Amino acid sequence: MFQQLVTQYRARLKALKLDTSRLRSPPPRLVFVTSNRDKVIEAKRILQACGVQFKHLSLRYPEIQDSSLRKIALTSAISVYRRLRQPLFTEDSGLFIEALGGFPGPYSSYVQETIGNIGILRLMEGVRNRSSRFESVVAYVESPRKNQVFTGSVEGRISIEERGSRWGFDPIFIPSGTDLTFAEMGPEAKQKLSHRAIALGKFASWLIEHGRKR
Ligand code: ITT
């Protein structure tokens, strides 16, 4: 509605041959709630490329303990929505290592903060099956009764040692089809195949399809 008014106003000014380039777009109404700065940087790259704008709100919110990332993400997003009462999304992600029965999975954040990559590499010492998977779940809550979940995953393997220096598990995760870790390949290449890019790409398509780009 507001966007429509701005468009009409711009058209009127244009008819009067005035400069409309200085008119600012309304601020984004969509909020990304996360305490993780690296997620925000990646989400900006991915969503802005699709023309989707959002505002970042840094907030630590309680997460339920569950084996399903989907359940954790949606429960968190709904509880944050109850506080903020505006359209928002959260993103939950994790690294699932086959030989460790899917560990750290939903405990990825805690494991990263405690034993870190070195601890994971120690657990994997002498383990031949290094298959692993990164998963991402984006939970969008628009109103008390309207929510959507978008998922993305990328298969790969755990490296023998840390390579590259980006955030989280990036230095030890090698996506299938390459020999580089996420950390070594850099943000642009990571964005083409990451779990987060897939989930956020689906989210962006949904927003565009339903006319909710901001
Ligand atoms: P919020 O819950 O506030 O969004 P968080 O960092 O706690 O932030 P998660 O609970 O989703 O987020 O934790 C997932 C952890 O998995 C994250 O902290 C990283 O350590 C790791 N991780 C997830 N995606 C990653 C990626 O693309 N590259 C490297 N590490 C990643």
Side-chain angles (χ1 to χ4, degrees), residues 45-182:
R45 273 179 175 272
I46 299 161
L47 290 180
Q48 277 180 359
C50 305
V52 174
Q53 311 288 331
F54 66 83
K55 221 173 90 180
H56 168 221
L57 178 64
S58 184
L59 195 71
R60 267 207 175 268
Y61 49 84
E63 283 179 5
I64 57 159
Q65 296 229 328
D66 200 275
S67 57
S68 155
L69 277 189
R70 187 187 178 96
K71 207 164 162 188
I72 298 172
L74 190 54
T75 311
S76 308
I78 290 173
S79 80
V80 180
Y81 178 87
R82 289 202 181 109
R83 281 168 66 183
L84 301 182
R85 297 271 158 198
Q86 69 181 109
L88 61 88
F89 67 101
T90 58
E91 192 257 3
D92 257 276
S93 38
L95 180 67
F96 295 74
I97 302 175
E98 202 171 278
L100 302 180
F103 184 81
Y107 308 105
S108 292
S109 182
Y110 178 71
V111 166
Q112 189 52 236
E113 280 165 20
T114 51
I115 61 171
N117 291 338
I118 298 299
I120 292 284
L121 291 176
R122 277 210 190 112
L123 290 174
M124 294 293 285
E125 255 166 30
V127 177
R128 292 189 61 179
N129 175 10
R130 307 192 74 86
S131 300
S132 61
R133 189 178 70 252
F134 249 133
E135 283 187 16
S136 162
V137 178
V138 171
Y140 171 62
V141 182
E142 186 175 278
S143 68
R145 289 209 189 113
K146 266 195 202 158
N147 57 61
Q148 293 280 329
V149 168
F150 307 87
T151 60
S153 73
V154 56
E155 300 287 336
R157 64 187 194 276
I158 300 298
S159 59
I160 299 294
E161 57 190 0
E162 280 193 290
R163 295 194 336 233
S165 61
R166 292 191 72 240
W167 66 288
F169 299 112
D170 276 358
I172 60 165
F173 183 79
I174 304 172
S176 299
T178 75
D179 282 323
L180 299 176
T181 63
F182 264 164

